[in-house]
Amino acid sequence: MIKIEHLNYIYQPGMPYEMQALKDINLEIPDKDFVAVIGHTGSGKSTLIQHLNGLIKPTSGKIYINDIEITDSKTNMKEIRQKVGLVFQYPENQLFEETVYKDIAFGPKNMGISDEEIEIRVKEAIHAVNLSEEVLEKSPFELSGGQKRRVAIAGVISMHPEILILDEPTAGLDPSGRDRLLELLTNLHENTKMTIILVSHSMEDVARVAKNIIVMNNGSVYAHEPVAKVFERGAELEKIGLAVPQVTMLINRLIEKGAKLPRDIYTVGYATKIISDIMKGNSDV
Amino acid sequence: MFKDITIGQYIAGKSVVHKLDARLKLILTFLFIIILFVVTKPSSYFFLTLATILVILMTKIPLGYYLKGLKPMLFIIIFTVFINLFLTPGDVVWQLNVFGLTAKITLQGIKMGLIILLRLTLLVCGTSILTLTTSPIMLTDAIEAVLSPLKVIKVPAHEIAMMMSIAIRFIPTIAEEADKIIKAQKARGADFESGNIIMRAKAMIPLLVPLFVSAFRRADELATAMDSRCYHGGANRTRMKQMKLCKTDYMAIIYCGAFIVLVAIIGYIL
Ligand SMILES: Nc1ncnc2c1ncn2[C@@H]1O[C@H](COP(=O)(O)OP(=O)(O)O)[C@@H](O)[C@H]1O
Ligand SMILES: [Mg+2]
């Protein structure tokens, strides 16, 4: 479980460009959750998640991972970074080894895992991201953009984290690449029961995969609720620079016009089913 | 750690020093450096220090920025001061015998040490004044202008200036990128801080490879962007902002000229 208490963070304190990126954040994220962090650009999403594995030290406040206070200077950071895997935005920019195999093995190797175990983990990780084992002997630099990103994600999965955090993993991917990545995350969550924290500014993405949503606005937590609850507040979200999925917007309009529809519709699939059920019902009458 | 780089950092402002013509500032800084290294009298250093402090105050930039510039030089400064302190021959004022070796400080050593300390500190502060108050673009324009007489002997003044301005422009970008890659590798358990020299050098590979890859990619993209906008070097290019000396500049020339004469006379008399 992740617990954050009164977390504040200021970039470049005391300088003219001082910037309070996080303001009194209090959060609890249970185990096995699939939670999305959304918010407009500059709302503090990336700053927040970098706190969770100790890459950024809070200006004030405390963070606990499984009841271990990671903000304590005595905590073993290597252990925490193994527990909390963090995939940065555009992770393909961090690849550096001669082969994909070596790159995926980098994390486990730093953790001091035996070569045999590493081999098992690398293979498992490459399958988890839906790439074939042939890729392992290639240079990461000869892969396509989408493949590189998968390799980079595999490089974090191979560390067997309990919590996997991804910062805008779909940014810059084409629609089919995005679909496949989201599907990959869903499968990963179902198969491994990892806690997944997905940072995104796309409501459409979030609606499809997450269970809960944390809405960030100007460095504060604006809401932390199940997906359906958040999308009921469509108008409010638009005020803070976020759009609900188009299908939810459509349903909300229909409800305004008097249609008897549930408010928790936020995927096209579900909307189609509900609407066709209603239409069938109508034709029966 | 890369966030601390302040080379080429420019702090926008409206002070008199900011408004001075960049060419003038460049030449004055050069003169200042030359003077720093030719004068030897303590009294001259007193006046040079005073003048530097005055100009620093005139820039209206917080002192912290100047100190930040000094920080990376601290080791070199202390090292040279100590060398001079202990190795200058002359009248011994203090000595210590350990294991048959004698460490001694001489009067001349103290004097030399102090001079070196002032020299290097003023050198860093003086150049910081230039870079903090002059935008990189103005600075490279000034370099081009100052170098352009050398075009006669085929020195590619424009190209040098262009290369410098691109390099300066990309320092913060690359520093930011380096910071991001370091974090990403740390998240994968990389350790940049511990171990012996060889281990540390090896630990740099996961940083340097991605950094070079992205630097080359950026260079390539920039070249394409410049090509597609028909950039073809310096010949026949005109400027949006013409550099012209104005009243403040002439005043600055007069003040600085007077100051140099003053320092020279004082150095001669005292
Ligand atoms: N290294 C930095 N130095 C100074 N300010 C920063 C830095 N990184 C981010 N910021 C500022 O902090 C705020 C939050 O940024 P970030 O966490 O990256 O937001 P998001 O990921 O939601 O777009 C922004 O206003 C941004 O400009
Ligand atoms: Mg971000």
Side-chain angles (χ1 to χ4, degrees), chain A residues 276-285:
Chain A
S276 65
D277 279 355
I278 289 174
M279 284 168 73
K280 262 188 230 140
N282 283 349
S283 60
D284 285 349
V285 175

Side-chain angles (χ1 to χ4, degrees), chain B residues 54-157:
Chain B
L54 188 69
V55 179
I56 285 179
L57 291 179
M58 279 164 68
T59 61
K60 299 213 173 84
I61 291 172
L63 210 60
Y65 284 99
Y66 294 95
L67 297 179
K68 233 170 123 192
L70 274 171
K71 227 167 79 184
M73 300 291 293
L74 209 59
F75 175 73
I76 299 175
I77 294 179
I78 291 176
F79 185 70
T80 11
V81 167
F82 267 82
I83 293 256
N84 278 282
L85 202 58
F86 286 104
L87 297 183
T88 317
D91 314 324
V92 177
V93 289
W94 180 85
Q95 71 175 31
L96 181 72
N97 291 309
V98 262
F99 310 121
L101 292 169
T102 323
K104 51 176 183 268
I105 295 177
T106 63
L107 205 59
Q108 284 79 354
I110 294 175
K111 204 174 130 193
M112 208 54 206
L114 271 178
I115 288 185
I116 297 281
L117 175 70
L118 278 177
R119 228 179 231 177
L120 295 178
T121 312
L122 291 180
L123 177 73
V124 176
C125 289
T127 38
S128 297
I129 293 174
L130 177 70
T131 51
L132 285 171
T133 64
T134 319
S135 74
I137 297 176
M138 295 299 283
L139 195 58
T140 44
D141 277 359
I143 290 170
E144 183 176 351
V146 173
L147 286 181
S148 61
L150 298 179
K151 274 183 189 156
V152 190
I153 54 164
K154 296 246 156 52
V155 174

Side-chain angles (χ1 to χ4, degrees), chain B residues 249-265:
Chain B
D249 298 313
Y250 291 116
M251 296 300 285
I253 295 176
I254 293 170
Y255 284 136
C256 293
F259 176 75
I260 292 170
V261 173
L262 189 77
V263 170
I265 293 174

